[in-house]
Amino acid sequence: MLYLLAAVGAITVGVLLWRAFGVRTAEVAPRPGRVVAPDDDPEFLRGLDKFRKSDGEDQPPA
């Protein structure tokens, strides 16, 4: 029984070390051509700002 526990412990430590220091896979590498979300896109934000100003939202209520 003690040998079984030692084997499981050794395998667990081996897997953890492999995950920590092993070869990186493709899923860890950054993707080329990252898609920009609308709230991060400067052109989109500029267009919203222009729309808001043309709508008269920035003016104080009368």
Side-chain angles (χ1 to χ4, degrees):
M1 182 68 171
L2 184 60
Y3 292 117
L4 180 63
L5 290 174
V8 169
I11 291 171
T12 303
V13 169
V15 168
L16 291 175
L17 287 173
W18 179 263
R19 299 273 299 163
F21 302 111
V23 178
R24 299 287 179 192
T25 61
E27 65 188 8
V28 178
R31 295 184 210 158
R34 194 188 108 197
V35 177
V36 177
D39 58 342
D40 293 337
D41 186 12
E43 287 295 319
F44 177 78
L45 295 174
R46 213 172 289 120
L48 278 180
D49 195 35
K50 286 179 185 177
F51 176 74
R52 210 175 90 216
K53 286 180 182 176
S54 69
D55 195 25
E57 189 177 310
D58 285 343
Q59 299 175 3

